[in-house]
Amino acid sequence: MAMSPVTVLRSLFGVLGSLMLLTLVYTIFSDGLPFRSDLLTPWMAATLVDFYINVVPIAAWVFYKESNWISAALWIVLLVCFGSVTTCGYILLQLMKLSTKESEDPIYHVLLCHSNKYGVVDKHKQSPVLIARVVFTALGLFMLGTLLYTLLTDGSPFRKELLTPWMVATLVDFYINVTALSVWVAYKESSWITAVVWIILLICFGSITTCVYILIQLSQLTSQDLIYLALFKGGDRAERRSEGVLI
């Protein structure tokens, strides 16, 4: 008997969260704490920039999902401090909250804020689309500049000496967040071919691809739209509009 989509997602993020937690604990015990100047090589710094730019859209979604500033701020601090462990924990929590009916379309209902399920939009969630376009353009260009600068000043990243225990842990952390973003991309895209292409680009170019993809989604909104509509694929976005949640 095939597993339901919600069961697959719960299993996926449960395994990934456990993997990252074990990786973190193992690396601390085997290589010490990460707060050491010798670890901050040029490519480690570039990887961290890449990692935290990918955290931005996840943090923005958490901010949209949470009903008050305090809980949103707490989750975002945890995202910054514990990375993909928090990402997986938060997604699992949202998946566990789904009703039986909602579990039939789990990604849509996980993305959707609870208040918006009932046609209510909080004032603080009405972030301007134009500002988001500027922010993700700036972040994408910053990452591109960081990548080019590091390539020119420190050479190729494909060198054995760069693969320290903490670099490995950071890459695991990074790609678990990429997996979360890839699930969103797979939901958004209408064909598996385009979804696979975008996911490959995410794996290869990290947050540059994330920023480009988000900018494409934002370009499909008008300046009067609420920014959370970028989360949803075309049919679901039209449904949100038709239900009058923009009033």
Side-chain angles (χ1 to χ4, degrees):
M1 183 177 178
M3 291 192 296
S4 65
V6 70
T7 302
V8 171
L9 290 169
R10 287 170 181 169
S11 301
L12 173 65
F13 288 104
V15 169
L16 290 176
S18 300
L19 172 64
M20 187 59 228
L21 185 59
L22 289 172
T23 300
L24 183 62
V25 172
Y26 174 80
T27 310
I28 289 173
F29 277 99
S30 64
D31 197 50
L33 292 172
F35 310 110
R36 311 195 311 265
S37 59
D38 62 295
L39 294 177
L40 203 61
T41 63
W43 275 110
M44 174 62 92
T47 303
L48 289 172
V49 171
D50 210 6
F51 173 82
Y52 281 111
I53 290 176
N54 268 349
V55 167
V56 171
I58 297 171
W61 169 63
V62 169
F63 177 77
Y64 157 73
K65 284 281 290 183
E66 290 303 302
S67 58
N68 64 74
W69 288 83
I70 296 174
S71 60
L74 177 60
W75 277 110
I76 291 169
V77 168
L78 291 173
L79 273 172
V80 171
C81 295
F82 298 104
S84 63
V85 174
T86 304
T87 301
C88 293
Y90 189 80
I91 293 172
L92 273 174
L93 185 62
Q94 306 311 309
L95 288 167
M96 293 300 178
K97 291 179 179 179
L98 297 180
S99 66
T100 303
K101 184 177 180 181
E102 290 169 341
S103 296
E104 296 172 3
D105 192 1
I107 299 177
Y108 169 71
H109 288 289
V110 163
L111 288 171
L112 185 62
C113 175
H114 294 298
S115 61
N116 281 335
K117 291 178 183 178
Y118 307 103
V120 178
V121 177
D122 292 341
K123 296 290 184 183
H124 76 275
K125 294 185 172 70
Q126 299 184 27
S127 303
V129 172
L130 291 177
I131 292 177
R133 290 174 184 167
V134 171
V135 169
F136 283 102
T137 298
L139 289 174
L141 290 174
F142 181 65
M143 186 59 226
L144 180 60
T146 300
L147 180 62
L148 293 174
Y149 175 80
T150 311
L151 278 169
L152 290 172
T153 58
D154 198 52
S156 170
F158 306 108
R159 309 197 310 265
K160 186 177 180 180
E161 66 267 21
L162 295 177
L163 213 59
T164 64
W166 275 109
M167 176 61 91
V168 172
T170 303
L171 288 172
V172 172
D173 210 4
F174 174 82
Y175 281 110
I176 290 175
N177 274 349
V178 165
T179 301
L181 292 168
S182 297
V183 170
W184 176 59
V185 169
Y187 154 78
K188 288 279 289 182
E189 292 302 308
S190 57
S191 78
W192 282 103
I193 295 174
T194 54
V196 168
V197 169
W198 276 112
I199 291 168
I200 291 171
L201 291 173
L202 274 172
I203 292 168
C204 295
F205 299 104
S207 63
I208 295 174
T209 303
T210 302
C211 291
V212 170
Y213 189 80
I214 290 173
L215 283 169
I216 291 172
Q217 306 312 306
L218 291 171
S219 71
Q220 297 171 9
L221 305 181
T222 69
S223 58
Q224 286 75 42
D225 278 332
L226 297 182
I227 196 171
Y228 84 91
L229 290 174
L231 288 169
F232 304 106
K233 61 185 177 183
D236 290 340
R237 185 186 304 155
E239 181 183 342
R240 300 312 303 161
R241 286 192 176 112
S242 67
E243 289 177 357
V245 297
L246 302 184
I247 299 175

